[in-house]
Amino acid sequence: MIPSDEFLESKGIRPTAMRLLVFQHLTKSKVATTLSDIENAFAKADRTTLFRTLKTFEQKRVVHQIDDGSGIMKYALCEEGCNCELERDLHLHFHCTNCGKTICLTEQKIPHINLPEGFVAEDANLVLKGICDKCSGQ
Amino acid sequence: MIPSDEFLESKGIRPTAMRLLVFQHLTKSKVATTLSDIENAFAKADRTTLFRTLKTFEQKRVVHQIDDGSGIMKYALCEEGCNCELERDLHLHFHCTNCGKTICLTEQKIPHINLPEGFVAEDANLVLKGICDKCSGQ
DNA sequence: TCAATAAATGCACTTCCATTGCATTGCCCT
DNA sequence: AGGGCAATGCAATGGAAGTGCATTTATTGA
């Protein structure tokens, strides 16, 4: 496991204190995270800074944005297997309607779809909604 | 083709003038429509009324809501083949990043996904993004 | 028919989140 | 040390969803 600061630098991101904290917070979190989540995690941080940090991370392919239909954007680290560098990563997401958590199912890929003549797909977003393993296990 | 007012009544919706207009507007429109689209179509109508009209339609399974990731909710009529009455209809949507239009691909169904142990899917949302037939044909 | 009741509409307002402008601070390099 | 650019913080804006309440319109029942 390489140090966070080296990792960020390798992605072309200057590893400031704030960015390292955000990165480590994302690393620890197993689920997709909202801006507010992060804001609450470090009360001292400004919302704008966090917002721009996430935008920077996104641009440099460190995180990807997830629109799970909850109305609030979420972010999750791109993992090893994540193909964000090449093209949009086509793994899918699971949104639990019970606990509200959104989970990256990096193992599951979005199947190929045969589109009608003339349509060219460049990106895909698949969100399944239901009950997650934790909530169904109760 | 049964008249609009009879159709709405058959769905348990009182066919007011406003609702008939909105319904007919949706019928004419081949693509998913935003609240603002409709608002602009009838300048005299109030946003709230339209909002609630759409909510009513949604509840009565006349339209379905589409979150195509553009940040703005869109609505489209449920078609004959639409299974909204039983459960969520699992057809997919195509969002053109060129013209911004969102199209229901009612022919294409969302493939079944094998989820990890403990996950129970109740709903699915698949949005493909790219260039639509009209835009790619130019 | 007319009053009583319920449903639909319109206006104003609130909330929530994403996003931007601008001034300030901090970091890096010479 | 100082110049310059990147990062940060504060304030404000904007867009869309949603709510409360008063008013209008439609339905029902005497």
Side-chain angles (χ1 to χ4, degrees):
Chain A
M1 184 87 155
I2 67 171
S4 302
D5 56 348
E6 283 179 23
F7 177 76
L8 289 183
E9 284 199 321
S10 77
K11 293 283 187 175
I13 299 169
R14 199 194 287 182
T16 66
M18 203 66 250
R19 287 171 173 176
L20 286 168
L21 283 173
V22 172
F23 178 70
Q24 283 164 9
H25 184 264
L26 289 168
T27 306
K28 274 182 232 135
S29 169
K30 288 296 164 211
V31 296
T33 306
T34 66
L35 224 190
S36 298
D37 287 340
I38 304 176
E39 199 182 5
N40 294 333
F42 329 110
K44 50 204 161 196
D46 183 75
R47 189 180 186 78
T48 312
T49 305
L50 297 174
F51 173 75
R52 284 196 264 239
T53 298
L54 288 171
K55 286 293 160 203
T56 304
F57 282 8
E58 195 190 349
Q59 211 173 4
K60 301 293 186 178
R61 307 295 194 195
V62 172
V63 302
H64 57 269
Q65 214 179 23
I66 306 162
D67 179 358
D68 62 9
S70 67
I72 305 165
M73 274 303 167
K74 299 190 177 171
Y75 301 86
L77 276 190
C78 298
E79 307 206 7
E80 283 312 311
C82 189
N83 295 317
C84 285
E85 297 142 37
L86 309 172
E87 44 179 320
R88 292 298 294 147
D89 185 46
L90 298 185
H91 70 254
L92 55 92
H93 298 106
F94 189 93
H95 178 65
C96 179
T97 51
N98 187 50
C99 63
K101 291 199 173 71
T102 295
I103 297 146
C104 292
L105 297 174
T106 47
E107 301 305 311
Q108 328 279 330
K109 299 300 174 189
I110 298 178
H112 179 259
I113 306 280
N114 286 315
L115 287 172
E117 191 66 23
F119 287 85
V120 182
E122 291 164 351
D123 190 6
N125 181 36
L126 174 54
V127 180
L128 295 178
K129 292 175 203 179
I131 308 297
C132 74
D133 54 347
K134 298 235 172 48
C135 291
S136 73
Q138 289 169 358
Chain B
M1 183 84 156
I2 67 171
S4 302
D5 55 349
E6 283 180 21
F7 177 76
L8 290 184
E9 283 199 322
S10 77
K11 293 284 186 174
I13 299 169
R14 199 192 288 182
T16 66
M18 203 65 250
R19 288 171 174 176
L20 286 168
L21 283 172
V22 172
F23 178 70
Q24 283 163 12
H25 184 263
L26 288 167
T27 305
K28 276 183 229 132
S29 170
K30 288 296 165 213
V31 296
T33 307
T34 66
L35 224 191
S36 298
D37 287 340
I38 304 177
E39 199 182 5
N40 294 333
F42 330 108
K44 51 203 160 196
D46 182 75
R47 190 180 186 79
T48 312
T49 305
L50 298 175
F51 174 74
R52 284 196 263 239
T53 297
L54 288 171
K55 285 293 160 204
T56 303
F57 282 8
E58 196 190 348
Q59 211 173 3
K60 302 291 186 178
R61 306 294 195 196
V62 171
V63 302
H64 56 268
Q65 214 180 23
I66 306 162
D67 178 359
D68 62 9
S70 67
I72 305 166
M73 272 304 167
K74 299 192 177 171
Y75 300 85
L77 277 189
C78 297
E79 308 205 6
E80 283 312 312
C82 191
N83 294 317
C84 284
E85 296 142 38
L86 308 175
E87 44 178 321
R88 293 297 296 147
D89 185 45
L90 297 185
H91 70 255
L92 54 92
H93 299 106
F94 189 92
H95 178 65
C96 179
T97 51
N98 187 49
C99 64
K101 289 197 173 75
T102 295
I103 298 147
C104 292
L105 298 174
T106 47
E107 300 306 310
Q108 328 279 331
K109 298 300 174 190
I110 298 179
H112 180 259
I113 305 279
N114 285 314
L115 288 172
E117 191 64 24
F119 287 86
V120 182
E122 291 164 351
D123 189 8
N125 181 36
L126 174 53
V127 180
L128 296 178
K129 291 174 204 179
I131 308 297
C132 73
D133 53 346
K134 298 236 171 48
C135 291
S136 73
Q138 287 167 0

